[in-house]
């Protein structure tokens, strides 16, 4: 089954959050349901990192903040070397890096065709 | 609450200090502060030590207990205070509260870090562990990366250019050249900064702080007793301390440092003062964009206009509101646990008129902004002459 990027919707007030908090940022509610955030996120800002953290081989590491249609934002690696603010991206599951010989997987963001 | 005075201060030189370990640095700064206060014969009630990561960096824990042993402040109650890179200001805040509440009459606050004990990549990783474990850290997010993303937002939205970052760096390097305690004693030009290596596009080496060792300390007592020690006590007129969500992306507006806004408002309210009343400022410019953003969110300049103040020289040593006369984190250096205390030390020297070549013209009140995490936990102090 394909993995979907999800956020957490507060069952009391409806606010959607990512990452997960144990209490809602608006109403302090404690119950959440997982909801899909969508496929077309917009790039708000980015960087190309040359001082690389452990387990990432090739500079630069391109990181950005994207905004999903409902307004929720996420930070992550971009699969393009040519990011442009405002471009559309979608979350894709893949290998993020190695940490202490362990491979870490998660969502990255890939430009929409 | 009682009025609280700073009656003595001191610091070590900041830099790559080979041959000095963390306890050497903390002891040196503390003894200088105690000496400056003329409190060598006195018994202290409590000791607060700001430090972010001694366990990780130098494999030593319980450093406050070690400090009272080393410089004989026994039997003062001693503890380490950790709040990321704002550990120093958090320690000062704790010292302030201990005296203000009436619980303690004589308090030492020290802050220190020995960062060059490990390699640069290890520091980079340890500092990154402040970020959100699953939403930031595992993705390879580092503090320079976050600062770079904030910088780009500012460039897009407010017309800040790389040249503005370079202007802040040039100013702070020039100030540091007049500060014998500063880490980087080298002139910086606009061209030099704009040609330095790229670390996190659009951030170059000269738009980031170095990795430093160092320590700083202050001695506090009730203002009513300060005259026993000094003719020039500096009063802690107010403090503020506020937090925000951990990740940059989840902030209400990622280009706003809300914890800086809230903590500043608290401090101004407590001090019954306004930004206009401040004559000298120390900001947490671990990255040069932060000096601009903090100067706005603290209330000194309109949002989106901080870079124009830099351009006009308002924040220069001889400007209307000098920012970072010490050289700032950029050039004075940033031994994380020491930074918040060192900012207070600089303000005390400035208010007492003892800042030498970098003396700002006759400031009556000073403002310090120290932040933990990446802007999600801010401690502000406002100081004023107590004489
Ligand atoms: C930018 C950075 C990666 C450079 O580290 P580095 O490559 O190990 O640098 P070194 O210490 O080996 O220094 C190399 C040279 O650059 C100089 N230098 C180091 N950092 C500098 C800086 N920020 N600005 C200007 N010059 C700097 C050194 O003085 C040295 O000069 P020299 O060769 O003439 O003696 C590192 O300083 C860094 O990570 N800074 C940010 C630290 C941080 O995030 N702190 C916490 C923030 S809350
Ligand atoms: Zn809710």
């Amino acid at each position: 089954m394909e993995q979907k990027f999800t956020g957490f919707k507060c069952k009391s007030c409806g606010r959607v959050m990512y990452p997960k908090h144990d209490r809602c940022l608006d109403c302090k509610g404690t119950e959440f349901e997982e909801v899909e955030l969508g496929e077309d996120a917009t790039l708000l800002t980015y960087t190309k990192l040359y001082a690389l953290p452990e387990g990432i081989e090739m500079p630069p590491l391109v990181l950005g903040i994207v905004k999903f249609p409902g307004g929720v934002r996420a930070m992550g690696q971009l699969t393009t070397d040519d990011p442009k603010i405002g471009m559309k991206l979608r979350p894709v599951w893949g290998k993020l890096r190695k940490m202490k010989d362990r491979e870490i997987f998660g969502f990255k963001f890939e430009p929409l065709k | 609450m009682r009025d609280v005075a700073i009656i003595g201060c001191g610091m070590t030189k900041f830099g790559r200090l080979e041959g000095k370990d963390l306890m050497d640095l903390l002891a040196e700064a503390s003894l200088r502060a105690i000496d400056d206060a003329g409190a060598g014969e006195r018994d202290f009630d409590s000791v607060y030590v700001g430090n972010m990561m001694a366990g990780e960096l130098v494999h030593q824990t319980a450093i406050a207990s070690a400090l009272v042993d080393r410089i004989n402040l026994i039997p003062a109650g001693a503890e380490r205070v950790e709040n990321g890179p704002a550990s120093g200001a958090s320690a000062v805040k704790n010292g302030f509260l201990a005296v203000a509440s009436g619980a303690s009459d004589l308090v030492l606050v020290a802050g220190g870090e020995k960062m060059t004990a490990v390699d640069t990549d290890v520091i980079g990783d340890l500092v990154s562990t402040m970020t959100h474990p699953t939403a930031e850290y595992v993705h390879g997010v580092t503090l320079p990366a976050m600062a770079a993303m904030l910088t780009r937002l500012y460039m897009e939205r407010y017309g800040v250019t790389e040249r503005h970052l370079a202007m802040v760096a040039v100013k702070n390097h020039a100030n540091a050249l007049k500060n014998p305690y500063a880490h980087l004693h080298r002139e910086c030009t606009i061209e030099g900064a704009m040609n330095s290596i790229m670390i996190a596009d659009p951030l170059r080496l000269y738009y980031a702080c170095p990795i430093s060792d160092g320590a700083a300390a202050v001695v506090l007592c009730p203002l009513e007793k300060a005259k026993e020690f000094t003719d020039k006590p500096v009063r802690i007129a107010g403090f503020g301390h506020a937090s925000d969500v951990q990740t940059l992306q989840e902030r209400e507006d990622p280009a706003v440092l809300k914890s800086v806004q809230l903590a500043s408002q608290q401090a101004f309210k407590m001090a019954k003062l306004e930004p206009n009343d401040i004559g000298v400022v120390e900001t947490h410019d671990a990255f040069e964009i932060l000096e601009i953003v903090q100067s706005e969110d603290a209330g000194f300049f309109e949002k989106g206009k901080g870079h124009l103040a830099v351009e006009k020289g308002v924040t220069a040593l001889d400007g209307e509101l000098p920012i970072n006369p010490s050289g700032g984190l950029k050039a004075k250096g940033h031994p994380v646990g020491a930074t918040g205390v060192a900012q207070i030390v600089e303000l005390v020297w400035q208010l007492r008129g003892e800042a030498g070549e970098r003396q700002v013209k006759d400031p009556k009140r000073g403002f310090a902004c120290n932040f933990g995490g990446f802007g999600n936990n801010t401690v502000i102090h406002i100081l004023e002459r107590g004489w």
Side-chain angles (χ1 to χ4, degrees):
Chain A
M1 195 189 79
E2 203 192 340
Q3 303 241 34
K4 298 282 187 193
F5 197 110
T6 53
F8 301 88
K9 184 173 178 180
C10 172
K11 285 189 177 169
S12 344
C13 78
R15 172 162 173 170
V16 182
M17 281 154 278
Y18 167 81
K20 191 169 196 284
H21 302 264
D22 289 351
R23 297 209 298 169
C24 172
L25 291 176
D26 277 338
C27 75
K28 299 189 172 65
T30 53
E31 289 191 38
F32 304 90
E33 62 177 320
E34 237 176 299
V35 292
E36 287 178 19
L37 293 179
E39 288 289 304
D40 56 332
T42 310
L43 187 63
L44 299 183
T45 183
Y46 65 91
T47 182
K48 295 182 183 179
L49 187 61
Y50 294 90
L52 293 185
E54 178 205 339
I56 289 171
E57 272 97 46
M58 286 278 286
L61 170 64
V62 187
L63 292 162
I65 297 179
V66 304
K67 185 177 179 179
F68 286 98
V72 174
R73 304 183 206 105
M75 193 183 283
Q77 300 180 1
L78 310 185
T79 62
T80 172
D81 273 346
D82 188 24
K84 298 245 178 336
I85 288 178
M87 79 193 296
K88 297 284 182 191
L89 301 139
R90 67 181 193 105
V92 288
W93 186 257
K95 185 181 147 190
L96 299 180
R97 64 193 281 201
K98 258 184 155 168
M99 283 164 70
K100 304 209 186 328
D101 291 331
R102 203 160 55 91
E103 301 209 316
I104 308 286
F105 287 81
F107 283 101
K108 311 182 192 206
F109 298 95
E110 172 188 272
L112 279 181
K113 299 281 145 22
Chain B
M1 286 217 286
R2 302 194 288 184
D3 273 339
V4 179
I6 301 170
I7 52 170
C9 64
M11 62 185 280
T12 67
K13 187 186 155 18
F14 281 6
R16 283 189 168 269
L17 306 175
E18 270 159 47
K20 288 187 182 178
D21 67 20
L22 176 63
M23 295 317 300
D24 295 335
L25 296 171
L26 284 168
E28 183 178 323
S30 299
L31 290 176
R32 284 183 180 178
I34 292 170
D35 199 37
D36 184 50
E41 307 293 315
R42 304 288 187 118
D43 291 326
F44 279 69
D45 300 309
S46 18
V47 175
Y48 296 92
V49 182
N51 172 266
M52 178 171 163
M53 43 191 178
E56 295 81 354
L57 290 172
V58 299
H59 201 61
Q60 183 170 358
T61 55
I63 58 169
S65 320
L67 182 64
V68 290
D69 172 82
R70 172 102 179 229
I71 60 174
N72 185 14
L73 292 178
I74 298 166
E79 64 211 78
R80 169 183 152 191
V81 178
E82 191 272 313
N83 175 14
S87 297
S90 276
V92 173
K93 179 193 108 176
N94 276 279
F96 167 84
L97 290 173
V99 175
S101 67
S104 297
D105 279 334
L106 195 57
V107 172
L108 173 77
V109 180
E113 210 78 52
K114 177 74 190 177
M115 297 182 77
T116 67
V118 301
D119 291 339
T120 299
D121 56 335
V122 178
I123 288 284
D125 179 55
L126 284 172
V127 169
S128 304
T129 61
M130 282 193 289
T131 64
H132 193 286
T134 58
E136 292 175 333
Y137 180 78
V138 294
H139 301 269
V141 174
T142 63
L143 272 273
M146 292 172 93
M149 286 187 266
L150 175 63
T151 302
R152 186 162 267 117
L153 278 177
Y154 247 68
M155 288 176 156
E156 283 288 307
R157 202 184 291 181
Y158 299 118
V160 171
T161 63
E162 182 180 348
R163 186 166 279 269
H164 292 107
L165 306 179
M167 282 162 54
V168 180
V170 167
K171 166 180 74 71
N172 290 350
H173 271 265
N175 293 351
L177 273 169
K178 298 176 173 165
N179 183 354
Y181 295 93
H183 179 166
L184 297 175
H185 277 141
R186 61 176 67 168
E187 201 195 337
C188 163
T189 60
I190 298 275
E191 293 67 35
M194 290 179 71
N195 285 307
S196 61
I197 57 160
M198 192 64 87
I199 52 175
D201 191 3
L203 291 194
R204 296 177 186 277
L205 178 68
Y206 271 80
Y207 314 143
C209 65
I211 289 168
S212 325
D213 306 328
V218 293
V219 176
L220 310 178
C221 82
L223 184 62
E224 66 200 26
K225 295 192 177 161
K227 283 276 158 25
E228 294 172 27
F229 299 91
T230 173
D231 293 335
K232 291 185 170 178
V234 169
R235 178 173 172 265
I236 301 183
F239 81 87
H241 189 174
S243 58
D244 196 355
V245 288
Q246 189 175 9
T247 65
L248 182 59
Q249 24 95 7
E250 208 179 14
R251 313 260 166 98
E252 209 168 285
D253 177 344
V256 173
L257 300 172
K258 206 167 163 192
S259 73
V260 172
Q261 291 182 339
L262 290 174
S264 302
Q265 286 160 13
Q266 289 170 12
F268 280 118
K269 188 169 174 211
M270 179 172 176
K272 299 193 178 65
L273 295 171
E274 290 177 5
N276 267 334
D277 299 315
I278 302 294
V280 56
V281 174
E282 286 279 308
T283 63
H284 190 106
D285 61 324
F287 304 98
E288 294 319 80
I289 189 67
L290 293 179
E291 178 170 316
I292 295 172
V293 185
Q294 288 164 15
S295 70
E296 299 166 0
D297 287 335
F300 296 110
F301 307 116
E302 211 180 299
K303 190 74 184 167
K305 300 273 170 68
H307 63 295
L308 302 178
V310 178
E311 212 173 85
K312 291 188 194 120
V314 174
T315 60
L317 211 46
D318 58 358
E320 283 155 57
L321 184 68
I323 298 187
N324 286 323
S326 68
L329 282 53
K330 167 76 254 278
K332 181 178 62 182
H334 184 26
V336 282
T339 287
V341 184
Q343 291 179 322
I344 300 292
V345 171
E346 176 69 14
L347 292 181
V348 170
W349 282 332
Q350 290 287 348
L351 294 174
R352 299 200 304 210
E354 296 170 3
E357 269 189 274
R358 64 183 192 288
Q359 180 64 49
V360 167
K361 194 161 170 275
D362 204 28
K364 307 274 190 305
R365 299 186 183 91
F367 178 100
C369 172
N370 186 200
F371 76 43
F374 189 77
N376 51 312
N377 196 333
T378 301
V379 184
I380 303 284
H381 282 99
I382 295 176
L383 308 186
E384 67 179 8
R385 292 179 181 178
W387 68 91

